[in-house]
């Protein structure tokens, strides 16, 4: 399967600041990447679908101006949490979608804590 | 609407067999996936079924019945390291994954 990395693996930031999370597909050219959020003991929640060279598609209820996604190349997508608040503290995970049968491979995740 | 149902939690004994069931309703169907997620970690891919029947992969097997909208993950010879959440996900006609809430599997010695 595809190898996906995320950076940083964990970050602590102050309320009101912005945080950028990088997702890299190390051995696979990904035209589509996904960003998920997972709160403790809850299921994965899809935030947005990131398409290389075009605007991301956001799920209902996810603020596109707060969660900025840039899919600049076939191997890199970034998620920027702007003006972070404590309720944004969560586990953020990216994934890449392989070609058929379209399984998704996940990065190791980034744990964000906003104080 | 689209929906994935699976039990919230199951308990089994080391060395035993456990079956985790999943029922799904998706708009169109392009396959059923199972993922394993250990606490604090990202999910890892376990299996994919698109045709009816049983797919075996070592100690893990996955079954699909499209007519019943039903799948199960079978884990044999359970080991303590199998304690994790198991996520069932159906792929809809747009190739989007619809996720279940996960089944937390607790293995007891």
């Amino acid at each position: 399967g595809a190898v996906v990395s995320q950076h940083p693996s964990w970050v602590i930031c102050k309320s009101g600041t912005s945080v950028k999370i990088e997702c890299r597909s190390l051995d696979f050219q990904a035209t589509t990447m996904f960003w998920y959020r997972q709160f403790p003991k809850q299921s994965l929640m899809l935030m947005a679908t990131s398409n290389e060279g075009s605007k991301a598609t956001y799920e209902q209820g996810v603020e596109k101006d707060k969660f900025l996604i840039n899919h600049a190349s076939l191997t890199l997508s970034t998620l920027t949490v702007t003006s972070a608040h404590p309720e944004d503290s969560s586990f953020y995970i990216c994934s890449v979608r392989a070609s058929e049968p379209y399984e998704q491979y996940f990065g190791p995740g980034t744990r964000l804590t906003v104080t | 609407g689209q929906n994935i149902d699976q039990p919230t939690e199951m308990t089994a004994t080391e060395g035993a067999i456990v079956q985790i069931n999943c029922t799904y309703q998706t708009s169109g169907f392009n396959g059923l996936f199972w993922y394993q997620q250990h606490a604090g970690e990202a999910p890892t891919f376990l299996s994919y079924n698109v045709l009816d029947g049983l797919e075996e992969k070592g100690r893990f097997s996955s079954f699909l019945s499209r007519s019943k909208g039903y799948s199960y993950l079978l884990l044999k010879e359970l080991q303590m390291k199998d304690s994790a959440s198991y996520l069932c996900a159906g792929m809809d006609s747009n190739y989007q994954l619809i996720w279940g809430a996960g089944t937390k599997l607790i293995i007891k010695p």
Side-chain angles (χ1 to χ4, degrees):
Chain A
V3 178
V4 183
S5 71
Q6 276 184 247
H7 177 80
S9 55
W10 61 271
V11 58
I12 302 173
C13 71
K14 291 187 176 181
S15 187
T17 62
S18 295
V19 174
K20 180 185 283 189
I21 302 170
E22 291 187 350
C23 175
R24 292 183 184 274
S25 176
L26 300 182
D27 61 350
F28 180 79
Q29 292 191 319
T31 54
T32 304
M33 292 184 176
F34 301 91
W35 285 97
Y36 290 86
R37 181 167 54 180
Q38 187 175 36
F39 293 104
K41 299 184 179 180
Q42 294 189 22
S43 183
L44 292 170
M45 291 171 47
L46 179 65
M47 298 177 67
T49 301
S50 170
N51 302 298
E52 188 266 337
S54 64
K55 291 182 179 180
T57 304
Y58 290 82
E59 294 299 300
Q60 194 171 10
V62 178
E63 301 173 57
K64 62 180 181 181
D65 295 329
K66 179 173 179 62
F67 298 99
L68 302 178
I69 291 173
N70 184 4
H71 194 150
S73 73
L74 290 172
T75 58
L76 174 64
S77 176
T78 60
L79 168 68
T80 302
V81 182
T82 62
S83 187
H85 290 283
E87 55 265 32
D88 298 324
S89 298
S90 188
F91 191 42
Y92 291 86
I93 315 171
C94 72
S95 71
V96 303
R97 185 165 70 193
S99 52
E100 291 190 36
Y102 302 111
E103 69 264 31
Q104 289 185 27
Y105 295 95
F106 289 85
T110 297
R111 192 162 302 282
L112 170 64
T113 302
V114 184
T115 60
Chain B
Q2 305 195 93
N3 192 50
I4 305 287
D5 281 320
Q6 55 182 127
T8 304
E9 187 174 296
M10 298 182 72
T11 302
T13 304
E14 189 178 16
I17 299 173
V18 71
Q19 178 175 309
I20 303 174
N21 296 322
C22 170
T23 58
Y24 65 88
Q25 287 180 302
T26 56
S27 299
F29 181 72
N30 278 303
L32 194 292
F33 294 80
W34 285 96
Y35 284 80
Q36 180 190 60
Q37 185 177 24
H38 284 101
E41 298 180 10
T44 56
F45 171 77
L46 286 179
S47 69
Y48 169 73
N49 294 68
V50 69
L51 299 177
D52 290 348
L54 187 68
E55 295 274 347
E56 296 186 73
K57 195 185 293 185
R59 292 189 300 114
F60 292 9
S61 301
S62 56
F63 172 84
L64 176 68
S65 169
R66 288 173 296 172
S67 63
K68 296 182 180 178
Y70 167 71
S71 173
Y72 68 73
L73 181 69
L74 190 72
L75 292 76
K76 303 177 185 176
E77 301 170 16
L78 285 170
Q79 302 175 9
M80 298 302 292
K81 67 178 182 179
D82 297 329
S83 292
S85 286
Y86 291 86
L87 309 177
C88 174
M91 180 169 279
D92 67 13
S93 57
N94 293 319
Y95 299 99
Q96 297 286 75
L97 284 179
I98 311 302
W99 294 90
T103 298
K104 182 178 180 181
L105 178 62
I106 299 168
I107 310 296
K108 295 185 175 180

